[in-house]
Amino acid sequence: MRQLAAILPLFISWPILAAEPDILIADFEGPDYGDWQATGEAFGPGPARGTLPNQMEVSGFEGKGLVNSFYRGDGTTGTLTSPPIKIERKYINFLLGGGMHPGKTCINLLIDGQAVRTATGPNDKPGGTERLDWHSWDVSDLAGKAALIQIVDEQTGGWGHINVDHIVQSNRRSGVVETVRDLEIDREYLNFCFAPGQAGRTQISLQIDGKPVRQAVGQGRPKASALSWDVSQLKGRRVQLRVAELPAPDGTCPLGASVRLSDQPEGVLIVVDRLYQETYRPQFHFTPAKNWTNDPNGLVYYAGEYHLFFQHNPTGINWGNMTWGHAVSPDLVHWQQLDHAIHPDGLGTIFSGSAVVDHQNTAGFQTGSEKPIVCIYTSAGNPFTQSIAYSNDRGRTWTKYDKNPVLKHIAGSNRDPKVIWHEPAKKWVMALYLDQNDYALFGSPNLKEWTRLCDVSMPGSGECPDFFSIAVDGQEQQVKWLFWGANGNYRLGTFDGTKFQPETEPIKSLWGGNDYAAQTYSDIPGADGRRIQISWMAGGKYPDMPFNQQMSFPRELTLRTTPEGPRLHMLPVREIESLRGRKHAWTDLKLRPGENPLSALEGELWDIGAEFALGKDQVAAIVLDVRGEPVRYDVKAAALHCLGRSAPLAAQDGRIKLRVLVDRTSIEIFANDGLVTMCSCFLPDPADRSLRLTAEGGEATAVSLTLYELTSAWR
Ligand code: FRU
């Protein structure tokens, strides 16, 4: 018999009495900063009208203007200080976004010149958003005092800016309200519901002895999202229920009010404890079993195994304690995670780098019959230097070189060495990120002693270089050298063993929202000859999961002639075919507005290939909806859109081609044979497994359309 839900009187909301009206300190709606004093350049001549050039979309501010210190990019610094104010309410509330650099990108409340309150933005790594969220300072103990508000941007480089808006004195807190309550689990399920639009800092967690055992984050969906945790294993235990959310305009807290223990799941059940089957676990993209990962490192092939090292936090779900995690695969699809390879030491934590097979034992590390694999990485201490470690047993155990570092500090936070063997000059060549947009190449006979060869500038890029030769249209006589920055911009040129001579400005290759710090494999056998790349799908969200972040699916790079010159093309490696299950195929399928030939299909994992003829009928758009998320080709604008990003995509002879890989939390699009790559993370509603393909404003034809159901690589 269905038992009645036990409705817990967990969070009783009450109307907040705000007898005194709010006092606006600044809303930054005017043409200039008025009585506020600016120093330096970062704050520009006046409030920004939203997003600044080259900035990700800024959202969450009120009205039209805000303080945005991304003026002329992250390189500028300065301060912005209010006229004196008197503290007359319990709280100072404001909207805040941008970089998390305490003391460097922050907003301070100054009394007698001292910062008595401070707050920073939420971001210190790639992958964050430019959204402003509410903050509140409780200033009840400072009533009647004279104060100044100072907004500081003293940070250059990544997230070196701060965004602030709508500063107000109030007796009501506008920031996130956190409520904590002890609870005994006496039912099988805990049900809760994110109200429409609840996102970001809206969180619910269950903790035992201070450790989270369940955790979920609001996703800001337009519809309410009812979810359930199976808590049967916690039955009889006392747990702490923590809910953090922004109160609704009427002062109520809808998430807290929705929490119920029950013997039935009343929403979509979130699977948390079956490793690699969890609700948001990618099924054919690499994720570590647990904790945070970012860049792929040390991609190298040796003796039948593809090695994938990765930036890993062994102890935390967020970035930190950087250590090289390690996994191997026979086919780039099925991965086995091994022990950590390289751990932090006195020289620092272990940042990104590469790996090579030292076939000729140039470093002298070889002890047995196996060739040594050598990893070249950044020791992220003070200062950052470059070090090496080697393995003589196919990567199972690692020894650090006893005379590390092999390359001393050169500039800034120099890092991310990518090493290749240059056969004509018979030497190792290292591409290294220096500072700002500057990189350099170094040469070495033995991986231990390095000399600077030349400098490389990559306007618009930083971090994680890659450097390799690649044949144009597969013609070995026609080779270009390609220099790559972490954001996927590349320059083509020549390299004579000493100097890289660029022949192009940086060319953009990655158009999606989550694609960063890619590198290509070393030592792919000549008979294979592919240039294979994996990137970090930076910034995806994985609520309630034991891991955080995922890698891209491995892709093959080719350089092909286009009317603009040779351009990089990317396509998923053919090994994906081993996961293909049922095939659904059509040729010459008419697409008409309002019709959906895919309405009978449903699923989570897809490999989709299609060629569309746009026809003469002025079709406005072709739309492929994946679990409610549109992949849209806008014919007039010749642009492809997906998950908030757009890419130019010109039809060729009136046709466009799409290849789309869909995993539980990602959509990777390779358009026109991979000329346009758009890889983005998404967080579909677990209950929505639909597919929809349609034309808008006219008819089009799917000249060919093939959908393969994919199986999981983890089973
Ligand atoms: C890129 C990066 C690298 C650095 C690593 C640290 O995402 O910032 O420059 O080596 O991550 O985890």
Side-chain angles (χ1 to χ4, degrees):
M1 195 178 78
R2 193 180 193 283
Q3 299 198 10
L4 276 183
I7 301 175
L8 296 166
L10 294 175
F11 300 103
I12 305 159
S13 323
W14 57 89
I16 293 161
L17 300 174
E20 293 172 302
D22 291 356
I23 305 168
L24 181 69
I25 298 175
D27 61 5
F28 303 107
E29 290 302 303
D32 54 35
Y33 287 121
D35 299 343
W36 288 58
Q37 295 293 324
T39 65
E41 225 201 332
F43 294 93
R49 309 296 274 182
T51 309
L52 290 171
N54 298 323
Q55 190 174 28
M56 285 191 296
E57 190 189 340
V58 177
S59 62
F61 55 99
E62 298 212 331
K64 295 215 163 75
L66 78 156
V67 175
N68 180 347
S69 77
F70 194 72
Y71 186 69
R72 300 210 165 124
D74 272 334
T76 50
T77 58
T79 63
L80 182 67
T81 309
S82 74
I85 56 162
K86 187 169 158 210
I87 297 188
E88 296 174 81
R89 297 284 185 274
K90 271 182 81 176
Y91 299 102
I92 296 179
N93 301 325
F94 50 92
L95 283 160
L96 181 63
M100 183 171 68
H101 301 287
K104 296 276 181 71
T105 54
C106 56
I107 172 168
N108 298 325
L109 182 70
L110 303 182
I111 291 189
D112 299 330
Q114 298 294 314
V116 293
R117 298 285 184 280
T118 185
T120 73
N123 300 301
D124 66 347
K125 293 285 297 165
T129 70
E130 289 279 16
R131 214 197 46 207
L132 281 73
D133 279 317
W134 282 108
H135 265 252
S136 289
W137 286 324
D138 183 342
V139 288
S140 43
D141 58 325
L142 304 172
K145 299 236 160 129
L148 297 175
I149 290 179
Q150 187 177 49
I151 306 173
V152 179
D153 175 0
E154 294 299 348
Q155 179 81 24
T156 59
W159 288 112
H161 63 275
I162 180 104
N163 300 339
V164 177
D165 197 18
H166 210 84
I167 311 174
V168 68
Q169 296 204 51
S170 176
N171 282 338
R172 210 190 110 190
R173 185 187 264 280
S174 284
V176 171
V177 173
E178 190 171 5
T179 337
V180 182
R181 195 196 137 97
D182 280 337
L183 182 70
E184 186 179 326
I185 302 287
D186 59 356
R187 304 288 165 117
E188 304 281 311
Y189 297 95
L190 191 118
N191 301 304
F192 54 93
C193 183
F194 289 110
Q198 274 189 314
R201 302 211 173 123
T202 308
Q203 287 196 23
I204 176 167
S205 70
L206 288 185
Q207 309 204 336
I208 295 182
D209 300 332
K211 291 213 181 75
V213 290
R214 300 279 188 282
Q215 192 168 320
V217 181
Q219 297 306 321
R221 293 217 175 87
K223 285 191 283 183
S225 187
L227 300 165
S228 301
W229 283 321
D230 178 346
V231 288
S232 52
Q233 289 181 340
L234 305 175
K235 240 177 163 177
R237 307 216 33 192
R238 287 203 77 78
V239 300
Q240 244 191 3
L241 175 62
R242 285 175 174 264
V243 175
E245 65 184 310
L246 283 174
D250 64 357
T252 58
C253 289
L255 175 62
S258 72
V259 178
R260 292 172 212 297
L261 276 166
S262 156
D263 283 326
Q264 302 293 328
E266 290 166 0
V268 174
L269 196 58
I270 301 189
V271 179
V272 283
D273 46 9
R274 271 173 285 146
L275 204 59
Y276 283 99
Q277 293 181 36
E278 303 95 335
T279 306
Y280 299 120
R281 174 76 76 170
Q283 296 295 290
F284 61 94
H285 288 75
F286 178 79
T287 48
K290 277 191 182 165
N291 293 333
W292 170 271
T293 186
N294 51 293
D295 312 351
N297 294 152
L299 302 186
V300 65
Y301 177 87
Y302 179 68
E305 289 178 323
Y306 295 91
H307 292 261
L308 163 59
F309 301 85
F310 50 92
Q311 287 285 284
H312 194 226
N313 182 350
T315 56
I317 198 79
N318 291 315
W319 186 88
N321 310 311
M322 293 338 285
T323 301
W324 275 31
H326 190 191
V328 288
S329 168
D331 60 2
L332 294 163
V333 175
H334 300 87
W335 296 97
Q336 183 195 359
Q337 194 173 339
L338 304 177
D339 287 346
H340 286 97
I342 311 178
H343 295 263
D345 57 30
L347 292 174
T349 50
I350 314 299
F351 273 22
S352 287
S354 52
V356 291
V357 180
D358 188 2
H359 290 282
Q360 296 165 48
N361 195 24
T362 62
F365 291 143
Q366 187 166 348
T367 51
S369 57
E370 298 287 354
K371 301 292 181 197
I373 304 178
V374 182
C375 294
I376 309 94
Y377 59 89
T378 298
S379 293
N382 194 6
F384 282 25
T385 54
Q386 318 311 319
S387 296
I388 59 177
Y390 57 92
S391 168
N392 277 304
D393 55 3
R394 299 165 45 248
R396 277 18 187 210
T397 59
W398 291 88
T399 309
K400 286 178 186 146
Y401 177 46
D402 57 7
K403 298 199 182 56
N404 277 337
V406 292
L407 186 59
K408 63 178 181 21
H409 177 256
I410 291 164
S413 299
N414 49 198
R415 59 186 181 276
D416 310 336
K418 175 71 167 100
V419 173
I420 54 168
W421 175 252
H422 189 257
E423 180 58 26
K426 301 251 178 297
K427 68 179 173 200
W428 300 102
V429 174
M430 175 200 290
L432 187 72
Y433 172 59
L434 298 181
D435 198 18
Q436 307 277 341
N437 302 133
D438 300 333
Y439 295 78
L441 294 178
F442 297 80
S444 170
N446 56 12
L447 296 164
K448 295 171 173 170
E449 285 119 33
W450 293 91
T451 48
R452 194 158 171 170
L453 300 175
C454 70
D455 293 352
V456 181
S457 165
M458 285 287 290
S461 298
E463 306 187 316
C464 300
D466 202 347
F467 184 53
F468 51 85
S469 65
I470 184 163
V472 184
D473 300 320
Q475 311 248 313
E476 284 310 326
Q477 318 83 318
Q478 227 198 319
V479 159
K480 295 278 174 208
W481 281 82
L482 187 153
F483 199 101
W484 170 278
N487 60 358
N489 291 1
Y490 63 95
R491 297 184 85 166
L492 297 171
T494 59
F495 180 58
D496 59 6
T498 306
K499 190 164 171 45
F500 172 66
Q501 193 65 55
E503 295 171 335
T504 68
E505 287 305 307
I507 303 168
K508 188 173 168 71
S509 73
L510 304 176
W511 297 88
N514 308 88
D515 203 331
Y516 194 74
Q519 70 168 248
T520 60
Y521 267 90
S522 184
D523 293 279
I524 296 291
D528 177 328
R530 286 178 296 174
R531 176 70 41 193
I532 299 169
Q533 184 187 60
I534 298 181
S535 84
W536 165 35
M537 295 200 77
K541 297 274 181 291
Y542 308 87
D544 204 20
M545 293 294 106
F547 68 94
N548 192 357
Q549 306 297 294
Q550 73 180 73
M551 297 302 161
S552 74
F553 189 75
R555 52 207 184 197
E556 181 181 353
L557 310 189
T558 50
L559 193 60
R560 304 188 195 186
T561 302
T562 76
E564 284 73 44
R567 290 292 180 270
L568 212 45
H569 286 58
M570 305 186 181
L571 284 171
V573 295
R574 58 174 174 265
E575 286 84 345
I576 185 96
E577 290 166 16
S578 70
L579 297 179
R580 284 179 178 169
R582 274 176 59 191
K583 177 178 174 183
H584 309 269
W586 291 262
T587 48
D588 292 324
L589 174 71
K590 280 272 168 286
L591 304 178
R592 297 192 181 91
E595 292 182 7
N596 174 23
L598 306 184
S599 61
L601 301 186
E602 59 155 39
E604 294 183 300
L605 316 179
W606 296 103
D607 181 352
I608 304 172
E611 181 165 2
F612 299 107
L614 306 174
K616 298 191 187 65
D617 183 30
Q618 275 321 304
V619 58
I622 294 175
V623 186
L624 170 69
D625 272 331
V626 178
R627 308 184 69 189
E629 202 60 65
V631 175
R632 180 188 190 84
Y633 182 65
D634 181 340
V635 178
K636 214 191 212 147
L640 185 65
H641 308 279
C642 182
L643 286 153
R645 297 297 170 114
S646 304
L649 181 67
Q652 294 165 347
D653 301 327
R655 294 181 173 195
I656 59 152
K657 282 192 204 167
L658 293 185
R659 176 81 185 278
V660 184
L661 296 187
V662 183
D663 200 340
R664 281 196 181 158
T665 53
S666 61
I667 301 180
E668 287 162 301
I669 309 170
F670 307 88
N672 286 1
D673 298 314
L675 174 63
V676 168
T677 299
M678 207 182 213
C679 298
S680 298
C681 293
F682 80 143
L683 203 59
D685 184 338
D688 185 344
R689 295 159 57 86
S690 64
L691 281 178
R692 192 174 75 102
L693 178 64
T694 197
E696 289 179 2
E699 287 185 9
T701 307
V703 182
S704 64
L705 171 67
T706 309
L707 293 96
Y708 291 97
E709 297 178 14
L710 295 179
T711 52
S712 170
W714 298 108
R715 303 221 170 123

